[in-house]
């Protein structure tokens, strides 16, 4: 059993700067957990505390039910893959792979066998006699991964392992890591600042900010129900449009108003939000919830917009436009690949009201609402 | 297509010519300052050239070399210098590495440590020799006084044939160990941090980290440091001149001082040149060997 | 007397008052007291002649290395140089110095006033005058007068050796005193045993004091004999038995300090140290040390080693005429006396006889008799190399790594080689 439990774990540096504050998290055995957040949010520190490379200032860490706070990294039986691979520059690939086993006094024949197995699995058999300096970035990445795998640890800790790779390689390594996880079923904690990695790879995402956990959940859960404006603005690309506005009662009922644009809330939501009427709120409108036509959207609201620019991505077109017409707040909208509009051109879009998110204007926290389904 | 290829080689050639042009002043300087004296010394070593009659009238071929090789004093000096160099380089390296490792862990006041360490290094060897001669004065010096305070009999630092060479070695260590420390420290602080973390997770103890990671990674720096120090140690002259003049007896008669005397006391520039060429040959061979060895590592 | 000086002064004034043109003289000198005294009187020369003199003062160690390139060059930078007797053979053989005889004759300079031994050492070589003696550094025996005068010591000495305790008349008497005073933390002697020149120079006194010389008139070696062996053994005993720990590695300044701190009875050294004993900033035995000639085998002989520096004009001198003017001036009776009064070591008999000097320095006569009874070190092309050989072999003998006899045999062998190489020994 290698579930990793963090109980109010904190890291305060000697100079008094807190890097991680009271993080509590339960990573289940065999889970693929993502730590997501901007740089400096404490995600790497948390990972390094799990690895034992950073001391824990307060709280408790246990792995497989055992308290690990003061256990030497060597004795935690976990493997870590570093962002810049941290290969031993003076050792061959085989040496890099076998080093940890040698230190653990694994018999020579056994070491050779395991190195061979792992090399075959990762497709680096021909590289075994090379030195790290003679390898490409992707190859080094594989060796670093191999070095973690060969030890057969209780858990893998990956510290932004893909961030030094080019986009294409990164995409393929993503898939490989997912496959690897499916094959081995070992616990993986993967730190990244890339929301695509987070969405695609993890079973759960733990989003961190300023040393604290903001939200933990399955990727779609977090996507659907961001806990605050930070998560809303961080996940997905382009992220959720956050627009200042207020809740108003009018003849049509309760509506969220941003500039001249009005979003009449579906009746099912009104009761939930009624108490906030008259308050300033932040509207969260995902780019993919705007449509060019009403189509089969049940609860749609026509919104006039003024085109600012279009970004042609190929599979789709991102429309940048001013909500409610000229001078309104700027939002991004996902459009099909054949869409085109010239700057200044007025359009009418249809917004799926069932997907509207409202956040407290001051705290940024989501205003809880009843489920629509 | 052919034309463009032709044009390319033209530019190439022009580039190359320009490169030579740019390098020529330094090459000329190099030739003038280094190669010319070496050739001159070699040419001189083949002649009976003395300061009394400084001319190349008498070609003697290898006579100077044979004379040097047959000179027991010269061979003694060569052997003594070898002993000194090995002792000094080894001890300074061990001590220097130890201190560098300790200092590498230090976070605060690094600049102050550096400043203190660099003090002896910045001193002229003549001054170092004079200071230590004063300190080591058997009757009036502070070292023997301090020893007497703790009840140790006065040591005949420079007056005993058994002790004098170790005294010189000790003073040289005092003077030069910071060179090792500074170079090794620079090497250590330039080492990547990540492999150590990887090794910790891999299960390496601090001692294993040192032997399996620090030492191999430092090897190029270590070799260069040793090489430079070795070459400088062979040239040790000032310290001997000031402290012992090769004595007592012939117990500290190092090769540089020996060659100096052959040239400027015996006035025999020809023979001194032959000795210098022999020395140059030895140092060159050693340098090439160490350089090759270093290349083979990377 | 007065008229003579006035006459001379005006002659100098006329001679120097209207120089053809002012020149700059570069002079390389060693940093020793006598150089300091030259420096002090130098403004007079500059005022009288309009010449400018640059004194470049360096360590002894640097001098030879600085000189040789300038001397080899067709036009060097030094107008005047000072030559240690060490280098005389080498410099003259290489033809680096200008003969001065014509100038001496033309200007009627009297060289007969110089102590003959000094003229032989740093004046004439094979009948040609190349230098005028600048100052001497003959070695003398410096000893503690207060210890000799102490009645308790006198009594004890008489009881032990059956003779009076007094400034030693013979070498044997001195050796007894050396032994006698080695007791109660006191040392009978301190030696300068450092290779090569300190030990070679000091031991030469021991050799002469035993009645031997380095060579005869035909340059046949005359030191590898019973007297030589005794000199080596006595020297080794002085260091090992009667001297402080470490004197085998002392240079003269370190040995001087031991003596000046009152830790030794005697020290055979260069006479210019005599004044330093009376300098309270350097010495704690002010007024208690006197100098005398190193005693010889009999009461009427001496064992002192002679040593001196001479003024010379190098062949490569850029302005030899002005250089001669300078030498003539600095060695004029008036200036020589002034330098001696400042504390310099005279080379001229007339200066030694000067009443003013004798009044100021009562030991001037001792210095003079020291010079008159002193012995010269072999002066030939390979003097420095002989010093090296002596330094090496004596140092080995003192260290006990070679017997006195073996060391002397080796020195003799190399001496013969060198003397033959130089054409001195047929």
């Amino acid at each position: 059993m290698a579930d990793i439990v963090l109980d109010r774990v904190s890291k305060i540096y000697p100079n008094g700067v807190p890097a991680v504050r009271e993080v509590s998290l339960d990573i289940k055995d065999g889970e693929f957990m993502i730590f997501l957040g901007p740089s400096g949010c404490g995600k790497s520190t948390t990972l390094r505390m799990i690895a034992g490379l950073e001391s824990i200032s307060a709280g408790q860490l246990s792995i497989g039910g055992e308290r690990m706070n003061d256990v030497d990294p060597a004795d935690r039986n976990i493997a870590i893959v570093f962002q810049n691979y941290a290969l031993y520059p003076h050792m061959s690939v085989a040496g890099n792979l076998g080093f940890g086993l040698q230190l653990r006094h694994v018999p020579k024949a056994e070491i050779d066998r395991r190195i061979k197995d792992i090399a075959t699995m990762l497709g680096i058999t021909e590289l075994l006699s090379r030195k790290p300096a003679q390898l490409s970035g992707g190859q080094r990445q594989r060796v670093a991964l191999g070095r973690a795998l060969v030890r057969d640890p209780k858990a893998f800790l990956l510290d932004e392992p893909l961030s030094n790779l080019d986009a294409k390689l990164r995409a393929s390594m993503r898939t490989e890591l997912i496959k690897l996880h499916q094959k081995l079923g070992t616990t993986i904690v993967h730190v990244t600042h890339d929301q695509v990695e987070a969405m695609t790879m993890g079973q759960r995402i733990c989003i961190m900010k300023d040393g604290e956990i903001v939200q933990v959940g399955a990727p779609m859960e977090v996507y659907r129900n961001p806990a605050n404006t930070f998560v809303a603005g961080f996940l997905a690309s382009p992220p959720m449009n956050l627009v200042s506005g207020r809740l108003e009662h009018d003849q049509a009922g309760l509506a969220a108003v941003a500039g001249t644009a009005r979003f009449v809330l579906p009746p099912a939501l009104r009761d939930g939000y009624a108490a906030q009427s008259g308050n300033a709120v932040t509207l969260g409108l995902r780019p993919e919830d705007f449509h060019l036509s009403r189509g089969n959207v049940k609860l749609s609201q026509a919104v006039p917009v003024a085109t600012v620019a279009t970004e042609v991505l190929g599979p789709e077109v991102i429309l940048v436009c001013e909500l409610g017409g000229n001078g309104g707040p700027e939002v991004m909208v996902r459009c099909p690949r054949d869409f085109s509009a010239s700057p200044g051109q007025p359009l009418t879009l249809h917004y799926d009201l069932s997907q509207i998110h409202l956040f407290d204007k001051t705290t940024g926290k989501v205003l809880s609402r009843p489920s629509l389904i | 297509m052919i034309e463009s290829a032709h044009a390319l080689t033209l530019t190439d050639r022009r580039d190359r010519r320009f490169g030579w042009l740019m390098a020529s002043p330094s090459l000329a300087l190099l030739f003038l300052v280094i190669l010319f004296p070496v050739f001159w010394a070699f040419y001189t070593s083949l002649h009976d050239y003395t300061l009394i009659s400084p001319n190349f009238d008498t070609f003697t071929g290898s006579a100077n070399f044979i004379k040097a090789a047959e000179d027991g004093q010269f061979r003694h000096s060569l052997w003594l210098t070898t002993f000194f160099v090995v002792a000094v380089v080894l001890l300074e390296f061990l001590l220097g590495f130890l201190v560098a490792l300790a200092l590498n862990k230090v976070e605060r006041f690094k600049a102050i440590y550096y400043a203190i360490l660099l003090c002896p290094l910045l001193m002229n060897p003549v001054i170092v020799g004079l200071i230590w001669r004063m300190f080591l004065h058997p009757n009036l010096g502070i070292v023997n006084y301090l020893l007497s305070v703790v009840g140790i009999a006065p040591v005949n630092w420079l007056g005993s044939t058994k002790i004098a060479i170790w005294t010189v070695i000790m003073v040289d260590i005092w003077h030069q160990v910071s060179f090792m420390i500074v170079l090794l420290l620079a090497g250590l602080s330039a080492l990547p941090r990540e492999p150590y973390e990887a090794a910790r997770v891999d299960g390496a103890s601090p001692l294993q980290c040192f032997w399996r990671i620090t030492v191999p990674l430092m090897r190029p720096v270590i070799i260069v440091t040793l090489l430079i120090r070795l070459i400088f140690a062979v040239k040790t002259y000032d310290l001997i001149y000031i402290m012992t003049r090769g004595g007592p007896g012939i117990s500290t008669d190092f090769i540089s001082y020996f060659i100096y005397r052959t040239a400027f006391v015996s006035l025999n520039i020809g023979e001194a040149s032959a000795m210098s060429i022999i020395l140059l040959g030895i140092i060159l061979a050693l340098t090439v060997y160490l350089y090759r060895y270093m290349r083979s590592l990377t | 007397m007065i008229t003579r000086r006035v006459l001379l002064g005006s002659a100098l004034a006329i001679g120097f008052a209207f120089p053809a043109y002012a020149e700059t003289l570069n002079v390389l000198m060693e940093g020793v007291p006598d150089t300091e005294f030259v420096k002090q009187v130098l403004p007079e020369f500059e005022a009288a002649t309009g010449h400018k003199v640059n004194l470049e003062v360096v360590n002894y160690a640097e001098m030879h290395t600085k000189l040789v390139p300038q001397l080899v060059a067709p036009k060097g930078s030094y107008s005047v140089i000072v030559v240690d007797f060490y280098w005389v053979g080498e410099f003259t053989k290489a033809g680096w110095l200008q003969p001065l005889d014509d100038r001496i004759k033309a200007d009627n300079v009297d060289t007969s006033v110089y102590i003959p031994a000094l003229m032989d050492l740093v004046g004439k070589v094979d009948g040609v005058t190349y230098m005028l003696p600048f100052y001497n550094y003959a070695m003398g025996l410096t000893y503690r007068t207060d210890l000799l005068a102490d009645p308790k010591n006198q009594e004890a000495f008489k009881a032990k050796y059956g003779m009076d305790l007094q400034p030693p008349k013979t070498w044997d008497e001195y050796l007894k005193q050396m032994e006698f005073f080695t007791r109660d933390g006191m040392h009978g002697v301190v030696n300068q045993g450092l290779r090569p020149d300190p030990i070679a120079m000091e031991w030469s006194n021991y050799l002469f004091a035993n009645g031997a010389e380095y060579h005869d008139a035909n340059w046949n070696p005359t030191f590898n004999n019973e007297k030589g062996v005794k000199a080596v053994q006595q020297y080794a005993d002085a260091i090992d038995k009667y001297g402080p720990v470490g004197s085998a590695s002392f240079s003269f300044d370190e040995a001087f300090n031991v003596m000046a701190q009152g830790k030794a009875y005697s020290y055979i050294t260069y006479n210019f140290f005599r004044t330093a004993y009376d300098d309270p900033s350097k010495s704690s035995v002010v007024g208690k040390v006197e100098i005398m000639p190193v005693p010889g085998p009999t009461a009427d002989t001496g064992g002192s080693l002679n040593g001196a520096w001479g003024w010379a004009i190098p062949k490569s001198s850029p302005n030899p005429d002005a250089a001669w003017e300078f030498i003539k001036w600095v060695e004029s009776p008036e200036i020589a006396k002034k330098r001696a009064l400042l504390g310099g070591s005279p080379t001229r008999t007339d200066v030694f006889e000067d009443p003013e000097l004798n009044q100021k320095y009562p030991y001037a006569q001792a210095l003079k008799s020291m010079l008159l009874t002193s012995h010269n070190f072999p002066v030939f092309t390979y003097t420095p190399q002989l010093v090296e050989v002596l330094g090496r072999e004596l140092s080995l003998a003192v260290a006990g790594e070679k017997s006195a006899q073996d060391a002397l045999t080796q020195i003799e062998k190399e001496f013969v080689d060198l003397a033959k190489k130089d054409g001195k020994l047929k």
Side-chain angles (χ1 to χ4, degrees):
Chain A
M1 281 299 288
D3 54 330
I4 302 168
V5 180
L6 295 103
D7 183 12
R8 280 165 291 151
V9 166
S10 294
K11 173 75 194 179
I12 296 153
Y13 283 114
N15 56 13
V17 175
V20 174
R21 278 181 285 203
E22 305 230 327
V23 162
S24 294
L25 185 65
D26 193 345
I27 304 165
K28 308 229 158 20
D29 184 30
E31 188 172 21
F32 199 136
M33 171 63 93
I34 306 282
F35 283 3
L36 178 68
S39 58
C41 71
K43 59 189 190 298
S44 278
T45 310
T46 309
L47 186 86
R48 290 166 59 83
M49 282 194 285
I50 298 174
L53 295 172
E54 298 277 359
S55 62
I56 294 168
S57 311
Q60 174 165 301
L61 165 77
S62 45
I63 299 173
E66 267 178 87
R67 184 185 150 92
M68 283 288 161
N69 285 39
D70 307 312
V71 176
D72 195 80
D75 301 326
R76 298 190 185 191
N77 199 13
I78 40 158
I80 183 163
V81 176
F82 295 89
Q83 178 174 6
N84 43 22
Y85 321 134
L87 298 179
Y88 309 120
H90 55 290
M91 296 183 198
S92 66
V93 168
N96 266 281
L97 295 178
F99 186 59
L101 299 177
Q102 268 180 43
L103 294 176
R104 275 154 222 269
H105 305 293
V106 176
K108 179 93 177 55
E110 169 73 4
I111 295 178
D112 289 346
R113 192 185 61 73
R114 270 155 84 169
I115 290 175
K116 222 176 109 199
D117 287 355
I118 294 294
T120 315
M121 185 168 129
L122 294 171
I124 52 173
T125 315
E126 332 69 89
L127 307 179
L128 281 177
S129 58
R130 294 217 200 147
K131 292 270 175 72
Q134 299 164 307
L135 303 178
S136 71
Q139 288 168 333
R140 283 181 216 180
Q141 171 63 60
R142 278 165 198 275
V143 176
L145 207 57
R147 188 172 61 182
L149 289 171
V150 79
R151 292 226 331 262
D152 193 17
K154 283 197 267 183
F156 293 109
L157 307 178
L158 315 180
D159 190 1
E160 309 211 23
L162 308 182
S163 61
N164 284 359
L165 300 179
D166 62 53
K168 195 175 155 211
L169 208 52
R170 198 185 307 173
S172 76
M173 279 309 285
R174 263 196 327 248
T175 335
E176 280 195 52
L177 276 176
I178 297 167
K179 281 196 267 180
L180 204 66
H181 179 246
Q182 282 164 357
K183 189 168 152 195
L184 300 171
T186 316
T187 313
I188 294 183
V189 182
H190 179 146
V191 163
T192 182
H193 63 267
D194 182 319
Q195 48 85 23
V196 179
E197 275 176 37
M199 288 300 289
T200 53
M201 297 171 79
Q203 292 170 327
R204 276 202 297 164
I205 305 178
C206 167
I207 297 168
M208 295 185 69
K209 187 191 177 217
D210 298 335
E212 287 175 343
I213 293 181
V214 180
Q215 190 172 6
V216 182
M220 278 317 284
E221 195 182 314
V222 177
Y223 171 79
R224 281 209 192 95
N225 303 303
N228 60 18
T229 48
F230 171 74
V231 177
F234 200 75
L235 226 52
S237 172
M240 184 183 280
N241 296 299
L242 297 170
V243 183
S244 290
R246 59 169 55 250
L247 274 179
E248 281 176 10
H249 258 299
D250 63 2
Q251 50 285 65
L254 196 62
V257 183
T260 56
R262 300 179 70 86
F263 299 89
V264 180
L265 300 180
L269 294 179
R270 283 179 201 165
D271 288 346
Y273 289 137
Q276 304 283 340
S277 178
N279 286 355
V281 295
T282 301
L283 286 66
L285 313 166
R286 286 214 181 271
E288 45 273 35
D289 293 332
F290 288 93
H291 304 276
L292 293 174
S293 62
R294 272 200 65 165
N296 50 2
V297 181
K298 275 188 234 147
L299 285 164
S300 81
Q301 160 98 46
V303 191
V305 295
T307 309
V308 174
T310 52
E311 295 170 3
V312 181
L313 299 182
E316 59 186 1
V317 173
I318 306 297
L319 165 68
V320 183
C321 56
E322 288 170 332
L323 200 62
N326 265 336
E330 223 171 69
V331 294
M332 297 211 239
V333 172
R334 267 181 207 269
C335 300
R337 59 188 169 195
D338 51 4
F339 173 81
S340 74
S342 47
Q345 186 181 343
L347 295 166
T348 301
L349 300 176
H350 300 274
Y351 179 72
D352 184 349
L353 286 170
S354 68
Q355 300 299 329
I356 195 165
H357 296 264
L358 294 177
F359 302 95
D360 187 299
K361 177 79 171 135
T362 40
T363 63
K365 281 199 178 129
V366 72
L367 298 175
S368 55
R369 56 170 186 172
S371 172
L372 281 176
I373 302 125
Chain B
M1 196 62 213
I2 291 163
E3 247 181 46
S4 82
H6 186 67
L8 241 165
T9 49
L10 253 178
T11 340
D12 266 5
R13 223 177 293 162
R14 215 173 30 226
D15 273 3
R16 194 162 300 171
R17 219 177 310 145
F18 185 67
W20 279 108
L21 195 74
M22 292 306 283
S24 57
S26 31
L27 282 176
L29 203 69
L30 206 69
F31 179 82
L32 219 69
V33 178
I34 297 176
L35 280 182
F36 174 71
V38 170
F39 284 132
W40 191 87
F42 183 65
Y43 187 71
T44 309
S45 71
L46 302 175
H47 292 80
D48 182 20
Y49 185 104
T50 63
L51 278 179
I52 302 294
S53 54
N55 57 61
F56 295 104
D57 294 347
T58 332
F59 180 83
T60 54
S62 58
N64 280 328
F65 289 91
I66 292 168
K67 200 169 157 224
E70 284 175 348
D71 185 349
Q73 299 289 343
F74 176 70
R75 289 204 308 266
H76 166 80
S77 286
L78 213 54
W79 188 90
L80 203 66
T81 309
T82 310
F83 174 79
F84 170 78
V85 167
V86 169
V88 156
V89 170
L90 223 63
L91 290 173
E92 278 171 18
F93 169 70
L94 291 178
L95 203 65
F97 206 14
L98 220 65
V99 175
L101 284 170
L103 275 183
N104 197 34
K105 294 267 183 291
V106 170
E107 309 258 312
R108 295 211 276 172
F109 308 121
K110 218 168 195 164
I112 295 174
Y113 289 116
Y114 262 114
I116 294 172
L117 276 173
L118 282 176
C119 275
L121 204 57
L122 295 176
M123 280 162 76
N124 186 311
V126 173
I127 295 168
V128 171
L130 287 173
I131 290 178
W132 276 100
R133 253 195 97 86
M134 228 160 73
F135 285 175
L136 296 172
H137 192 296
N139 323 109
L140 310 172
I142 186 161
V143 177
N144 271 358
Y145 169 74
L146 289 177
L147 288 181
S148 75
V149 168
V150 292
I152 297 174
V155 178
N156 195 358
W157 295 107
L158 294 166
S160 151
T161 45
K162 304 275 176 304
I163 301 175
I165 186 155
W166 289 104
T167 306
V168 174
I169 288 172
M170 184 192 79
V171 172
D172 189 84
I173 290 173
W174 180 86
H175 186 208
Q176 302 281 359
V177 74
S178 348
F179 173 84
M180 287 275 193
I181 297 175
V182 171
L183 248 69
L184 292 171
L185 194 53
L188 282 175
S189 55
L191 287 185
R193 221 187 46 178
E194 297 80 14
Y196 289 93
E197 299 196 324
R200 274 180 71 193
V201 177
D202 259 346
S205 67
L207 210 63
Q208 282 168 323
C209 275
F210 175 75
W211 286 114
R212 306 283 306 258
I213 298 182
T214 306
V215 172
L217 285 184
M218 281 290 286
R219 203 169 286 160
V221 178
I222 291 173
I223 289 174
V224 170
T225 311
L226 289 181
L227 194 62
I228 298 176
R229 191 60 204 100
L230 187 138
I231 291 170
F232 277 105
V234 171
K235 296 197 293 188
T236 301
Y237 166 81
D238 324 51
L239 218 51
I240 289 303
Y241 186 84
I242 297 298
M243 292 188 62
T244 66
R245 300 283 177 101
I250 47 172
S251 61
T252 59
D253 205 353
F254 293 168
I255 195 75
S256 299
Y257 185 50
F258 191 87
I259 293 176
Y260 160 82
R261 290 203 320 272
T262 308
F264 295 104
V265 176
S266 307
L267 310 175
N268 197 338
I269 304 288
E271 198 185 333
S273 297
M275 292 172 177
S276 300
I277 296 290
I278 293 173
L279 191 63
L280 181 72
I282 295 172
I283 297 179
L284 218 57
L286 214 63
T287 310
V288 167
Y289 170 75
L290 281 174
Y291 183 74
R292 288 247 173 95
Y293 179 67
M294 193 174 82
R295 286 282 298 268
S296 74
L297 290 174
T298 46
Chain C
M1 187 71 201
I2 291 168
T3 38
R4 210 182 81 184
R5 195 178 300 167
V6 170
L7 269 175
L8 221 141
S10 47
L12 284 173
I14 294 164
F16 296 149
F18 309 103
Y21 46 89
E23 303 218 29
T24 301
L25 292 161
N26 292 315
V27 187
L28 183 74
M29 297 185 78
E30 187 198 0
V32 286
D34 278 275
T35 299
E36 196 48 44
F37 307 142
V38 170
K39 212 188 235 170
Q40 286 177 31
V41 294
L42 206 52
E44 293 181 35
F45 176 71
E46 296 189 330
T49 62
H51 294 323
K52 169 102 187 57
V53 180
N54 289 330
L55 280 194
E56 189 182 343
V57 180
V58 300
N59 250 329
Y60 183 77
E62 287 174 60
M63 287 192 80
H64 194 271
T65 343
K66 272 196 177 262
L67 278 173
V68 171
Q70 298 299 334
L71 296 175
V72 174
K75 229 1 156 230
S77 58
Y78 297 123
S79 318
V80 175
I81 59 172
V82 288
V83 181
D84 190 2
F85 83 86
Y86 264 45
W87 307 329
V88 170
E90 172 194 352
F91 285 16
T92 50
K93 173 115 176 186
W96 290 336
L97 304 182
Q98 298 193 4
L100 300 178
D101 293 296
D102 292 348
R103 293 181 190 277
I104 289 169
K105 213 169 177 189
D107 290 342
N108 275 325
V109 174
D110 183 9
T111 57
S112 69
V113 294
Y114 289 105
I115 305 259
L118 290 178
M119 210 51 200
D120 289 344
L121 200 62
V122 286
K124 280 187 185 181
V125 177
D126 300 330
V128 181
T129 313
Y130 288 101
M131 294 154 287
L132 290 185
F134 163 29
Y135 74 92
N136 84 80
Y137 61 94
M139 298 180 81
L141 172 63
T142 62
Y143 62 98
R144 291 277 296 277
T145 48
D146 60 323
L147 296 180
L148 289 186
D150 187 337
K152 264 189 270 168
N153 286 340
Q154 291 186 342
E155 218 172 282
F157 188 81
K158 180 122 194 180
K160 189 167 177 190
Y161 298 99
M163 55 168 81
D164 286 332
L165 186 59
Q166 57 182 358
K169 291 208 164 47
T170 64
W171 181 247
D172 273 344
E173 198 179 337
Y174 169 58
L175 290 178
K176 288 194 175 73
Q177 294 179 359
M178 201 191 273
E179 183 188 52
F180 175 72
F181 282 113
T182 306
R183 54 177 188 173
D184 311 331
M186 189 68 183
H187 302 285
V189 65
V190 59
N191 292 77
Q192 46 185 51
L194 182 68
R195 278 180 64 176
D197 40 306
I199 189 172
M201 293 298 121
E202 194 176 43
W203 180 76
S204 297
N205 293 280
Y206 282 65
L207 180 70
F208 301 143
N210 277 289
E213 292 284 345
Y214 277 102
H215 58 82
D216 63 15
N218 298 318
W219 283 79
N220 290 304
T222 55
F223 53 84
N224 187 11
N225 47 36
E226 196 188 332
K227 290 171 181 167
V229 170
K230 255 163 75 186
V232 175
Q233 283 165 348
Q234 288 161 1
Y235 190 79
D237 281 352
I239 284 186
D240 296 338
K241 286 193 196 161
Y242 309 129
V245 171
S247 39
S249 69
F250 283 175
S251 183
F252 49 76
D253 44 349
E254 286 151 318
F256 170 79
N257 281 334
V258 171
M259 183 72 182
Q261 294 307 311
K263 305 215 167 168
Y265 158 66
S266 64
Y267 170 35
I268 293 177
T269 190
Y270 311 106
N271 69 68
F272 55 71
F273 274 127
R274 171 61 187 83
T275 28
Y277 284 123
D278 288 343
D279 177 352
S281 69
K282 291 175 188 155
S283 161
S284 60
V285 288
V286 174
K288 295 176 180 169
V289 177
E290 200 40 271
I291 189 164
M292 64 175 283
V294 174
T298 58
D300 54 347
T301 54
S304 282
L305 170 74
N306 201 0
W309 289 74
W311 296 103
I313 306 175
K315 278 256 171 69
S316 65
S317 172
N319 38 13
D321 291 338
W324 174 243
E325 260 182 77
F326 173 77
I327 293 177
K328 218 164 55 175
W329 169 82
V330 79
E331 278 303 320
S332 65
E334 213 188 353
I335 298 301
K337 184 184 155 189
K338 262 190 193 164
R339 291 194 283 116
L341 280 173
L342 286 168
S345 305
T347 52
R348 301 168 60 107
T349 39
D350 56 344
V351 174
F352 271 120
E353 296 308 331
D354 189 271
E356 223 180 310
L357 184 84
N358 280 284
Q359 198 188 350
K360 188 166 182 193
Y361 302 113
Y363 51 82
Q365 286 312 305
L367 292 181
K368 189 189 167 195
S369 74
M370 192 167 82
L371 281 178
L372 291 173
T373 59
S374 67
H375 304 248
N376 281 359
F377 196 81
V379 177
F380 65 137
T381 311
Y382 299 107
T383 302
Q385 209 174 342
L386 176 62
V387 171
E388 274 301 331
V389 172
L390 279 166
R392 184 184 71 223
E393 295 301 321
L394 291 172
S395 191
L396 281 170
V398 167
E401 299 198 351
K402 235 178 193 180
S403 72
Q405 184 57 62
D406 288 352
L408 283 173
T409 307
Q410 179 67 24
I411 295 168
E412 183 179 42
K413 181 179 160 288
E414 296 195 38
F415 172 80
V416 167
D417 286 349
L418 293 173
K420 275 190 179 152
K421 196 165 147 195
D422 198 27
K424 297 277 185 199
L425 184 66
K426 303 291 176 242

